[in-house]
Structure formats: C-alpha cells, structure tokens
Amino acid sequence: MELCPLIKNILLLDSEGKRIAVKYYSDDWPTNSAKEAFEKAVFAKTQKTNARTDAEITMFDNYVVVYKFVQDLHFFVTGGENENEIILAAVLQGFFDAVGLLLRGTVDKKEALENLDLILLCLDEIVDGGIILETDANVIAGKVASHSMDAGAPLSEQTITQALATAREHLTRSLLK
Amino acid sequence: MAQPLVKKDDDRDDEVDYSPFLGIEKGAVLQEARVFNDPQLDPRRCSQVITKLLYLLNQGETFTKVEATEVFFAVTKLFQSRDMGLRRMVYVIIKELSPSADEVIIVTSSLMKDMTSKTDMYRANAIRVLCRITDGTLLTQIERYLKQAIVDKNPVVASAALVSGIHLLQTNPEIVKRWSNEVQEAVQSRAALVQFHALALLHQIRQNDRLAVNKLVSSLTRGSVRSPLAQCLLIRYTSQVIRESTNDTQTGDRPFYDFLEGCLRHKAEMVIFEAARAITELNGVTSRELTPAITVLQLFLSSSKPVLRFAAVRTLNKVAMSHPMAVTNCNIDMESLISDQNRSIATLAITTLLKTGNESSVDRLMKQITNFMSDIADEFKIVVVDAIRSLCLKFPLKHRSLMNFLSNILREEGGFEYKKAIVDSIVILIRDIPEAKESGLLHLCEFIEDCEFTYLSTQILHFLGIEGPKTSDPSKYIRYIYNRVHLENATVRAGAVSTLAKFGAMVDGLKPRIFVLLRRCLFDNDDEVRDRATLYLNTLGGDGAVVETDEGVKEFLFGSLDVPLVNLENSLKNYDPSEKAFDINSVPKDVKTQPLAEKKATSKKPTGLGAPPPGPPSTVDAYEKLLSSIPEFASFGKLFKSSAPVELTEAETEYAVNVVKHIFDGHVVFQYNCTNTIPEQLLENVTVIVDASEAEEFAEVASKPLRQLPYDSPGQTFVAFEKPEGVSAVGKFSNMLRFIVKEVDPSTGEAEDDGVEDEYQLEDLELVAADYMLKVGVSNFRNAWESMGVDFERVDEYGLGPRDSLAEAVNAVINLLGMQPCEGTEVVPPNSRSHTCLLSGVYLGNVKVLVRLQFGLDGPKDVAMKLAVRSEDETVSDTIHEIVASG
C-alpha cells in the first residue's frame, strides 16, 4: 500500500487544451497518445467551470484532479483516487502562485511560452518522481529565479535585484580568480 | 535562426497567436544544438536551444536513439560553462533524455564534481540527476556523499538526497537501508519539507518491521511534528498501525485514537482532513469515535473552498454506506450542496442523501432532485439514477414514487448512456419488485412510443416479449407493440414482430388477434420484417385454428442458438448457394479463444476451411452435441458440466492450446483446443500425452487424435479418463503436445511430404472439486432453503486464517466451491466486520446444494467462517465440508 502522497501529473494547458508544459510522474499513461487523451478528457470536463477565484476539483477515471485557471492558462494537478484532496490543492496552489511570481504578474499563454524555461524549472522544483518537493510558491520561485538570468545578459533586461545579484556574482568571480 | 526566446517587446497586440515556438521543427533544432560544441559557449543561446529541445519533448516529439545520443553528448560539453542558469537547464534535459548506462559514465564525473560543490543549488540538483540516471554500481561510489547530503544544513540539499533515497529504495534497498542513522537525524530537522521527506524514507526503510514502525509512530505521535505534510504521513502510518494491532475490545479504547482526534484540532486543513478521513476508515469504528470527525467534516461542507467541500462530501458519502445514521446530522448542509456550482459536489451530496434518507424522506428528496436533474451533465445523472435504483431496492414500498421519477426523467432530454441507465434500472426494478412490474412495463411502453435509440427500443421490445405475456392483462401491451410496426425503422419493426409472435405463442386467448396483426406485416417493405411474420404465422399455426403451440415450436422460435453467432455468420458467408441446403450442424461449435495478431491476417490462409473467428464461449448444449458425435464417448452418458476453457500455453506462443474439462458421471473428457500460429507449418496426427500419475483415481480409456492442424484453423483432440462413478475425484495432469510437423511452402500453400515428429510441453491441468459443481442460481434463496429442510443439513465452523480483507475471503470460498452467489451476496460492503453469503449449485449426480456462509472478522485480520450446507443428499453435504476443510 502506497502511503506517501503521490502526484500523478501536473499539466499546464492553454485555453484550447493544448500543451504548454506537462509532466507525468506515473506509468498510468505509457504513451504520448494516452497522455493526450487524458489531457483532452480533463480539459473537456473542466472547460466550462469557473475556476478563476478558487481552485476547483473533479473526479474521473479514478483520478482526483484539482485545477485553477487564469487568463488563457489552465493549471491541473492529478492524484490517485484515494489521495488527500487538500494536499493536491496545496501543490496546485504552489505551482500556480510560483508561476505568477516568475512571470511577474503577467500570467498568460504568451508570457508562459516566452519563459518556458522558467516554467519547466518550476515543475522540476515542485515534484520529483511523484514525490512533493516543495509547495511554498515563494520558495519554488526563489529556487527557480535566483539564477535564471544568466550573467551575460545585457543589464537593461534585468530587474534591479537581478542586476545587483549579477554584479555581486561578477565580483565574487573576479575575486576568486 | 528562430525567433529569440526571451523577447519582451511591447508589440504583443499585433499577433494574438504569437508563439516563440511557431513553426518549430525537430531537424532544425537538432542542427541548432551544434552550438553546444562551440569553443566559445554562448550560455544564453545554449539555454534557448535546450528550452526548444525540452519543448519538443514536452509536445510528445520523440528522438531516435542516434539523435538522443548526439544531443546527450553535446549537452555534456556544457558542463564547461560556469553559467548557473544554463547548468539548471542541463540538469533538466539530462533527466529527460534518460541516457543509457554507457552514456551515463560520460557525465558521472561532472555530476560528482557538482555534488561536492560549494553551491547548494549544484549539490541538490546534481544529487537528483545522478540518482535518477545511475545504476547500482555507481551508487556505492557516491554513497558517502549522499549520507552527508542527508544531514546537510541546507534543506534543499537534504531533501534532494532524501527524495532520491526514496526512489533508490525500490532498486537498491540494501544500500539505502544503511543510511538509517542519517535519515533518523533528518527527521528531527527544523525544515518542514526535510522532516516530511525523512519521515517518508525512514518509514519505507522500516515498513516490513512492524515493531520498528510501531516504535516510530509512538515516539513521533508524542513529539511535535512541524510540517503539515509530515503530519499527514504520520496519520497514515498511525492508522496502519491501528489496523494491524489487535483491538483492545474489552475497554473499548483504541490505541492512538487520541492522537488522531487531536489532529482534528491542527491548524492546517490538510491535517484536519487527513485525520478525519483516517477516523472514518477505522475498522469497526464506533459512533462515539466517529462523532468528532463528522463534526469537522460538517464544517468543511460550508467552506468557501470547493476543494474542501468536495473532500468532505466525498468522505461522508463513503461513511454513509456503512454508518448512514452518523451522517444524518449533516443532512441540512448536504441539502444546500445540491445547488452547488461544482456538479461533482452536488452529485456526491445527492447520492449521500439518497443513502442516508429514510423511507419517510424519500418523497421530499425526490422533489429536490427533480429540480437538480435538469441542469447537470449526463454522467452525473447516471450516478443519481444508480443511487435511486439502490434506494428503491432498499425501500420497495416506495417503488411507486421512485418508478414515477425514473419514468419522468426517461421522457426528458438525454444521451444514449443516460437513457440506457434508466431503462436498465427500470428493468432491474421490474425483475426484483413484483408489485412494480405492471407500472414499470407501462412506463417502458410509453417510452418506446417516442424513443430515438433503436438499441433501446429493440431491447425493451424483447423484454416486453418475455415479461408481458406473464402479466394479468397482456392484451394492453399489444397496442404499443403494434404501433412500432407502423412507425419505426426496419430493425425495430422486426423486433416488434417477434414480440407480437411471443405474445401469440404464450397467450392462447390473444392468438387470433395476433395473427391478424402479423398478417398485416406480410406487406411490409422490409425483407426481414416480412420473413419473420411469415415464419411466425406458419409455425404458430396461422391458418386460423386456435391450437396450443407445442413446446418444440416455442423452443425453435425463441430458444437460444447452440452455436456461437460469429461461427454461424462465418459459415453462412462461406455457404455456396447450391442444391445442398445449409446444414446448421456443419457450423463449428468450438471457440477459438486466442485471437491471432492482425499482422498474420495478411499471410495466405488455407482456402476451403473457413477459420471461425474468435467468439464467445459456446454453451453446454454445443459441447454435448459435439461429444455425443464422437463414438468413443457416446457411452459415457449425459454430460454433467463443461468448464470454461483453461489456457495451457502462454499468449503468442507457436501453438495455442486451451482445454475444456467435460465431467460425466463416471468419466472425464479433456477437450484440447489447439491452434497452430505458424503459417509455414502443418501439424499432423496431433495428440496430447497426459501423465495422470498425480491423479490416482483416473485411468485413461480413450484418446482421439486430430488428423491435421493447418495454420490458423483451430482443431480439437480429446483424451478421456475413467473415474469412480459419482465420485468427485481430483488430481493434477501434466500434458505434452505430440505431433508430426511438416513444412509448408508459403507461396503455394503445399505441405512437404516428409514430416518430423516433435513435442511441445504444455502447462499442467488440475481437476478440482469446483469442476463437479454447476453454477445454478435460485431466485428466492430463503424459500429454497426452507423447502430443502434440515434433514441433510451439515453445519460447521472454520478458521480461514489471516486474510487481506473479508471480501477476499468470501471470494476465495466462492471460487473454491464453484457455486453461484445468490441475491448479490458476493459483494461485501467496505468496512464491514461480518458478512453472510448465499450460494447455490447442482452437484455431480444432479444433487441440488444450497450453502449459507457466515463470515466474521476474528481479530484484525483472521477470518472465521460458519458453513451451513443443505442438499438433497447427505453425502454431498459432507463432501462440501470436505472441500472446504481440505481447501
């Protein structure tokens, strides 16, 4: 019997149900077509609901799915049928808020695709092989963002904090040399 | 080059569908990946290319082995760069590419270097990557670092090592178990997530040691676990310990219950809910124990968060199955949830109310549901229909209002699945509640007046044909049925004609009128409808004479076919219209159980013999005809039972063989159904050599070889054994397929003249007591039981030892005896401590047997059983006990 809370997948889809970034942690969907079928079903089932203020929840095919939408982005977290719904909701909230922080408030499909690297790193920091790594959005975003802007980028494209961080890094590097 | 990836222009309004990945193409990206090899790395550019690669993988694109290897090797070059952002992307893509063992070696040293780096982020990520891709051999090399990492002061590093440990435990348990001390130290960590991961790993290391788990739980439940997630884990471990520990029933105190109850006052909702759920799932939970849990769940019901409401109502729904009374306090909150925006919540609330409702509240509830039904999706409606069906079976007196409800929703808009669920429910209610029959049938009649689904119309017409003639006034259904003949498509018209004929055959008083109607159908414009009408008129004696239709005709018209329909269809297709009439006896009765892979269908099949496609198992009648046509077995008497086919080969082997066990009073015949799946071979003189040395009471008396077994055309060979008359002897038989194999030229289909003798080992076959038992149900078990009397009753008690669950024990006994469960008693409600199961069957020698099994949990897992047998023969009653005692 599996006692540790497990996440089956995390999905970020657009307003037509197309993938922006997805991550599966379970063998329940062995092929890409099985995954796509699942995404299609989830999307169709939740499309008409209003999940913009509070996270919503549904059950189907013996999975519990919690979801939340913003603009043209649909966030989903799936767990097994016996999973604690509130734990799943905590993971969803962590993912949702972290993406909000990383995209600096402008949370829509275009911004998400333009910063896909951040989204992928974000997924990588939330769950590892189905086991929850972190649910606090600030910590997740912090881990992703701390070095997301590389040192070589022109300063004009960085925020003040990042610019400072970059400067500090440059300094340390030159000192270490 | 494609568009730059990080582009924060202000012109986003120009194109709505702008995507940085528009027109991305795998080949081009792979080309771009060459920048990884540049002597002067551009980290920014490299990051973008990795993102593109990850995007492709994420969209379901696959890389060939060569492509993946190439990308992987290029990526390894990027370890030279000291750019942290790029390094992060490198970690992610290495995990996605899941390199093979020989490739892993290339990055091992780089990753090990990162693992000992001063930068926390490098350490944490390198550990996760390395543990993901490594195999056992490398693990011993890095073990030292991992142990250090577990107690690292940076929580991210510690968590990375602990989570990797959880994954590695599956593949290398002996190594991970050595980390116990470090993990134990990490459990005390001040960082919430580290504590959670450490606890999960520590428990998994010790999970097979009940004492250790017990100790872990008792020490931690006293201390304070900080992280809510860790607390949830602890609750799960605690309930596991409670499940496994013996219940102190004397004092009524359950160990650790106080801890669970205390968690109900935790500040984190996930912990409160986890504890409440754990309490409701306790084995044999008392209402005193339940109350505090129900109270917090009730509070959740009125939460503003849908997730909380859902979690609570789902749990209460489960509780309602076993403890409906405990949930009634929540009924008011539950009723307000009927109008919840979230339809999953509303449906769960409805079905909970249906379960907790008492007879007096049914009518009020139905009124509320009627409003609710109009605005939910079909899938939820189906759930509600199912709940109403069970409610009706629970309160048969309320059948009128519930049946009315069903018929009302039947008339409303809805898809096929939904309508089918309603029709099925009505059919079940008609079958189980005799008082509901007439009204139910009329509802169905009204429904087909305006039904858009041919399948449902024909199904209802068929059902009317069976049930209608048995009612007090069959004539009132005729109008509805005959209307179909006027108004429907050909399929339904044909069904209606058959139903009319059934009324005619069963109710003599209606015959003349039926004949008038049938004669009108002779002018239908559809062949099938006309043919049916003609057939019925002629066989039922439509010449006007009112005679009782004899049994033979009824059997011919309405009895079941004794050949698989698929086989019949195939034979009819192959039948050449000629002088010779089609002979139904030429239709193969055997069933090919192993469908051949599609690809083989392209190769040339032998002509002439139409290979029957796989079909459903044929009936005993079919077997009986088949066996009696073989002279060697003709003297064995009447066939008592034929088992379902038992596979003797693995799927997709050269030769597929399954066996059917035919039981006679003094003989047993094994029918081996063989299929040759090799197109280049023809098998001749196929026999099965049976070694019955482990079945002492059996003596081989006859064997019937199969002359030829061409490719993909199943054939049978038989072996017959003699056994003591009327005795249910059991034993084990080992089987060897022996044959002469001849090569076949695939182009011509001709076999060579010379063959080689060969053998093929099959799996063993067992004859068990259940083979002597026919599954025959009784409609009213209590009546049957009473009328059987106590003369040959045998009662005894058995301990079944520890079992996974009550349901598992019940199933095991049902399978052992091979009898038919009656009145749905094979289903054990969850969490029940005792269960009664009713079985009926006919034993060898045509002796009726009834069994009443009473199961009870004796301690946490031990199952005790009281077995009462009544039969027409006391030796059979004893035999049943022997079967159970020896099984």
Side-chain angles (χ1 to χ4, degrees):
Chain A
M1 182 183 163
E2 192 51 72
L3 288 169
C4 190
L6 284 182
I7 305 299
K8 299 266 186 188
N9 64 44
I10 300 183
L11 315 174
L12 177 56
L13 307 179
D14 71 7
S15 54
E16 285 158 24
K18 292 208 196 74
R19 271 182 201 170
I20 294 183
V22 298
K23 188 82 190 141
Y24 286 80
Y25 308 100
S26 147
D27 299 330
D28 295 5
W29 304 273
T31 61
N32 188 50
S33 51
K35 290 178 179 138
E36 277 174 348
F38 178 79
E39 287 156 31
K40 204 172 158 206
V42 170
F43 184 79
K45 215 177 141 63
T46 58
Q47 191 184 10
K48 292 205 186 86
T49 53
N50 179 12
R52 291 182 186 269
T53 42
D54 275 311
E56 279 289 347
I57 183 163
T58 187
M59 244 196 106
F60 82 103
D61 285 355
N62 299 331
Y63 297 107
V64 177
V65 183
V66 289
Y67 55 99
K68 196 166 179 186
F69 305 155
V70 62
Q71 300 284 2
D72 48 1
L73 290 180
H74 294 208
F75 295 74
F76 301 89
V77 171
T78 308
E81 69 174 323
N82 291 320
E83 201 45 81
N84 181 328
E85 293 90 339
I86 302 167
I87 294 181
L88 296 176
V91 174
L92 175 72
Q93 198 64 43
F95 180 40
F96 184 89
D97 291 345
V99 170
L101 287 169
L102 289 167
L103 300 183
R104 287 174 227 137
T106 340
V107 188
D108 59 20
K109 177 184 174 183
K110 181 171 173 338
E111 201 71 15
L113 281 173
E114 281 178 350
N115 295 286
L116 190 68
D117 50 344
L118 300 186
I119 309 267
L120 292 171
L121 288 175
C122 187
L123 285 171
D124 188 57
E125 290 294 354
I126 294 174
V127 172
D128 182 303
I131 296 171
I132 300 164
L133 272 183
E134 180 59 73
T135 57
D136 184 329
N138 287 310
V139 179
I140 297 166
K143 284 204 265 182
V144 173
S146 58
H147 310 287
S148 66
M149 198 57 89
D150 60 70
L155 287 173
S156 61
E157 284 192 20
Q158 302 181 17
T159 61
I160 301 292
T161 26
Q162 275 173 329
L164 281 175
T166 317
R168 211 178 300 128
E169 208 175 287
H170 272 297
L171 188 67
T172 13
R173 246 188 241 173
S174 53
L175 284 176
L176 285 171
K177 264 175 199 165
Chain B
M1 191 193 142
Q3 295 97 326
L5 198 63
V6 185
K7 187 179 141 199
K8 293 196 171 45
D9 291 340
D10 292 323
D11 58 1
R12 60 179 52 148
D13 298 332
D14 301 353
E15 292 166 84
V16 185
D17 262 354
Y18 164 80
S19 154
F21 301 105
L22 207 64
I24 190 171
E25 208 250 319
K26 182 171 89 170
V29 179
L30 289 173
Q31 287 281 326
E32 273 188 72
R34 294 194 177 156
V35 298
F36 299 166
N37 294 319
D38 282 355
Q40 275 298 312
L41 282 175
D42 175 355
R44 198 178 153 75
R45 178 94 201 281
C46 292
S47 273
Q48 287 169 8
V49 177
I50 293 183
T51 309
K52 284 185 191 170
L53 289 165
L54 287 170
Y55 174 81
L56 286 172
L57 286 169
N58 217 296
Q59 294 296 320
E61 184 77 70
T62 48
F63 293 164
T64 64
K65 186 81 192 85
V66 178
E67 285 165 352
T69 309
E70 231 161 69
V71 170
F72 177 77
F73 277 113
V75 164
T76 57
K77 302 261 169 52
L78 299 178
F79 275 99
Q80 290 169 25
S81 166
R82 306 181 44 173
D83 184 277
M84 290 179 117
L86 176 60
R87 185 69 57 87
R88 297 290 305 264
M89 297 308 282
V90 169
Y91 292 139
V92 173
I93 195 157
I94 290 179
K95 282 195 273 187
E96 288 297 324
L97 289 171
S98 47
S100 62
D102 48 335
E103 293 168 357
V104 169
I105 297 168
I106 312 290
V107 282
T108 306
S109 62
S110 305
L111 286 170
M112 278 172 71
K113 207 170 123 218
D114 283 359
M115 252 174 80
T116 51
S117 150
K118 287 216 162 44
T119 315
D120 296 333
M121 188 276 289
Y122 280 174
R123 283 212 304 287
N125 277 293
I127 288 171
R128 284 173 58 198
V129 176
L130 199 52
C131 291
R132 169 71 58 85
I133 61 177
T134 188
D135 57 3
T137 49
L138 188 67
L139 200 53
T140 43
Q141 285 182 52
I142 57 170
E143 193 186 351
R144 189 161 56 92
Y145 302 114
L146 289 174
K147 279 163 110 174
Q148 273 171 21
I150 289 173
V151 291
D152 196 292
K153 63 178 190 309
N154 183 301
V156 182
V157 177
S159 279
L162 287 164
V163 171
S164 300
I166 297 174
H167 296 313
L168 288 170
L169 193 65
Q170 314 300 324
T171 47
N172 295 285
E174 63 297 328
I175 295 181
V176 180
K177 278 180 183 161
R178 293 200 291 253
W179 310 345
S180 248
N181 287 334
E182 285 79 9
V183 178
Q184 206 152 9
E185 197 181 322
V187 172
Q188 304 303 326
S189 164
R190 302 186 65 83
L193 268 299
V194 175
Q195 194 173 46
F196 164 58
H197 295 134
L199 183 56
L201 180 54
L202 190 61
H203 179 264
Q204 285 197 13
I205 291 176
R206 297 186 176 167
Q207 61 184 347
N208 295 322
D209 182 352
R210 265 174 65 173
L211 256 174
V213 172
N214 224 320
K215 237 171 86 187
L216 178 71
V217 167
S218 15
S219 72
L220 286 177
T221 48
R222 261 180 268 127
S224 65
V225 174
R226 280 170 217 94
S227 136
L229 277 172
Q231 190 79 350
C232 287
L233 272 186
L234 189 55
I235 291 170
R236 293 185 188 185
Y237 301 155
T238 306
S239 23
Q240 191 191 29
V241 168
I242 294 177
R243 256 198 308 280
E244 283 166 2
S245 62
T246 46
N247 215 347
D248 193 353
T249 40
Q250 270 76 39
T251 62
D253 279 345
R254 205 188 282 270
F256 299 118
Y257 174 78
D258 290 343
F259 165 72
L260 293 182
E261 208 217 323
C263 288
L264 294 175
R265 292 183 291 274
H266 198 275
K267 60 181 188 303
E269 280 158 351
M270 68 168 77
V271 177
I272 300 174
F273 174 66
E274 188 74 46
R277 193 172 66 161
I279 290 176
T280 65
E281 285 171 0
L282 289 174
N283 276 336
V285 63
T286 64
S287 43
R288 190 166 60 88
E289 288 170 321
L290 263 179
T291 311
I294 302 283
T295 310
V296 299
L297 291 174
Q298 190 175 359
L299 285 176
F300 278 12
L301 286 181
S302 43
S303 158
S304 66
K305 294 183 195 161
V307 173
L308 256 60
R309 295 200 299 273
F310 178 90
V313 76
R314 185 157 78 111
T315 309
L316 290 170
N317 189 298
K318 276 189 208 140
V319 178
M321 288 186 211
S322 47
H323 297 82
M325 289 315 289
V327 186
T328 44
N329 277 343
C330 308
N331 276 2
I332 295 179
D333 305 83
M334 208 68 92
E335 280 180 30
S336 62
L337 289 183
I338 295 180
S339 52
D340 200 296
Q341 283 285 314
N342 184 318
R343 287 313 175 189
S344 304
I345 295 175
T347 312
L348 281 166
I350 282 277
T351 48
T352 313
L353 284 167
L354 290 174
K355 280 173 203 152
T356 56
N358 48 27
E359 201 151 348
S360 58
S361 67
V362 167
D363 293 311
R364 190 167 53 89
L365 206 52
M366 294 325 282
K367 216 169 272 164
Q368 275 179 308
I369 297 177
T370 314
N371 301 329
F372 163 80
M373 287 301 268
S374 54
D375 54 25
I376 53 168
D378 274 9
E379 47 177 322
F380 294 132
K381 291 182 183 167
I382 293 173
V383 178
V384 174
V385 167
D386 288 345
I388 287 178
R389 186 183 58 217
S390 358
L391 185 71
C392 193
L393 292 174
K394 196 161 107 195
F395 302 123
L397 285 177
K398 284 285 163 197
H399 71 85
R400 202 172 304 278
S401 67
L402 293 169
M403 193 65 106
N404 271 333
F405 176 82
L406 289 177
S407 76
N408 281 337
I409 55 172
L410 193 52
R411 267 183 242 127
E412 271 153 31
E413 284 296 300
F416 172 71
E417 291 297 329
Y418 172 46
K419 289 289 165 80
K420 185 169 179 295
I422 305 174
V423 169
D424 287 348
S425 294
I426 295 182
V427 166
I428 287 171
L429 295 182
I430 290 174
R431 224 180 38 208
D432 288 9
I433 306 173
E435 301 80 41
K437 188 192 243 179
E438 305 250 335
S439 69
L441 285 178
L442 277 176
H443 287 315
L444 290 179
C445 284
E446 272 162 32
F447 173 58
I448 54 171
E449 294 270 56
D450 186 24
C451 170
E452 54 186 311
F453 304 108
T454 301
Y455 174 87
L456 289 179
S457 292
T458 48
Q459 196 200 2
I460 290 172
L461 283 169
H462 180 77
F463 186 69
L464 272 177
I466 298 166
E467 293 293 337
K470 294 187 228 155
T471 55
S472 59
D473 182 13
S475 64
K476 67 179 169 197
Y477 302 105
I478 302 292
R479 180 171 64 88
Y480 295 101
I481 300 166
Y482 188 63
N483 277 347
R484 299 302 98 220
V485 179
H486 282 304
L487 302 167
E488 293 281 359
N489 62 42
T491 314
V492 179
R493 290 205 303 276
V497 166
S498 295
T499 307
L500 281 178
K502 268 182 218 165
F503 274 78
M506 311 275 277
V507 188
D508 291 327
L510 286 176
K511 225 170 236 173
R513 288 149 72 187
I514 297 281
F515 287 151
V516 173
L517 298 176
L518 284 179
R519 259 184 232 115
R520 288 193 197 156
C521 302
L522 292 174
F523 305 104
D524 196 283
N525 57 16
D526 183 79
D527 291 352
E528 173 72 18
V529 180
R530 280 199 311 276
D531 286 355
R532 284 198 189 193
T534 314
L535 174 71
Y536 293 132
L537 278 171
N538 286 326
T539 44
L540 297 175
D543 44 8
V546 179
V547 286
E548 191 158 319
T549 313
D550 74 82
E551 280 305 313
V553 171
K554 277 188 198 163
E555 180 58 34
F556 168 66
L557 288 180
F558 307 120
S560 59
L561 274 176
D562 60 355
V563 288
L565 282 180
V566 220
N567 292 6
L568 178 62
E569 185 187 348
N570 236 304
S571 300
L572 282 170
K573 273 187 192 149
N574 290 338
Y575 170 66
D576 252 335
S578 62
E579 295 288 300
K580 204 164 147 269
F582 179 76
D583 181 8
I584 196 157
N585 291 323
S586 69
V587 178
K589 293 188 178 91
D590 62 308
V591 180
K592 199 170 71 168
T593 50
Q594 191 155 26
L596 284 158
E598 272 304 305
K599 59 180 189 320
K600 290 187 178 146
T602 52
S603 56
K604 200 172 174 184
K605 282 191 181 179
T607 47
L609 270 165
S618 61
T619 59
V620 176
D621 288 353
Y623 283 133
E624 194 164 8
K625 279 200 182 144
L626 178 72
L627 290 172
S628 58
S629 67
I630 300 167
E632 287 93 326
F633 308 146
S635 62
F636 290 174
K638 186 159 167 48
L639 176 64
F640 175 71
K641 179 185 180 178
S642 299
S643 74
V646 182
E647 296 297 337
L648 295 182
T649 50
E650 305 274 322
E652 296 183 23
T653 45
E654 298 96 307
Y655 314 111
V657 180
N658 66 48
V659 65
V660 177
K661 300 175 263 188
H662 299 292
I663 311 291
F664 293 87
D665 207 25
H667 295 85
V668 174
V669 175
F670 295 143
Q671 171 187 338
Y672 296 89
N673 298 314
C674 313
T675 310
N676 170 11
T677 66
I678 307 176
E680 296 83 18
Q681 284 191 0
L682 170 71
L683 306 189
E684 287 190 351
N685 211 5
V686 183
T687 54
V688 176
I689 309 299
V690 184
D691 175 10
S693 54
E694 283 181 72
E696 289 164 4
E697 290 174 89
F698 295 86
E700 186 171 327
V701 287
S703 157
K704 190 172 179 299
L706 176 64
R707 219 178 308 134
Q708 275 201 334
L709 185 62
Y711 161 66
D712 196 22
S713 176
Q716 304 103 22
T717 163
F718 299 86
V719 180
F721 288 87
E722 196 171 34
K723 68 173 187 63
E725 191 109 347
V727 173
S728 51
V730 295
K732 193 171 174 187
F733 303 83
S734 59
N735 307 295
M736 174 82 82
L737 193 68
R738 181 174 293 173
F739 46 82
I740 293 166
V741 54
K742 289 186 174 172
E743 296 287 318
V744 174
D745 185 340
S747 54
T748 59
E750 302 272 322
E752 283 175 19
D753 290 340
D754 298 331
V756 191
E757 188 162 315
D758 200 356
E759 287 181 344
Y760 189 80
Q761 184 68 48
L762 304 175
E763 279 167 32
D764 290 350
L765 165 69
E766 269 193 278
L767 204 59
V768 293
D771 286 324
Y772 295 100
M773 182 69 78
L774 270 182
K775 279 188 179 186
V776 178
V778 290
S779 53
N780 187 329
F781 189 88
R782 177 192 272 271
N783 277 354
W785 182 263
E786 299 294 329
S787 61
M788 188 80 85
V790 291
D791 300 350
F792 302 124
E793 179 170 297
R794 293 285 182 277
V795 184
D796 208 346
E797 290 183 12
Y798 299 87
L800 302 181
R803 295 279 175 170
D804 283 347
S805 68
L806 209 51
E808 190 254 341
V810 172
N811 265 328
V813 177
I814 294 176
N815 288 337
L816 181 66
L817 292 175
M819 296 176 75
Q820 177 69 42
C822 301
E823 299 171 13
T825 53
E826 74 274 27
V827 183
V828 184
N831 294 333
S832 46
R833 305 273 305 164
S834 62
H835 184 71
T836 301
C837 179
L838 309 171
L839 302 175
S840 100
V842 171
Y843 197 69
L844 185 66
N846 280 323
V847 183
K848 274 207 192 94
V849 188
L850 297 172
V851 166
R852 175 180 277 172
L853 298 164
Q854 282 163 300
F855 294 85
L857 275 175
D858 188 11
K861 286 206 154 174
D862 283 347
V863 177
M865 178 180 76
K866 184 174 166 190
L867 167 68
V869 188
R870 289 189 182 182
S871 77
E872 294 163 338
D873 182 338
E874 65 182 313
T875 54
V876 172
S877 297
D878 290 332
T879 312
I880 300 294
H881 276 283
E882 276 166 31
I883 294 172
V884 173
S886 59

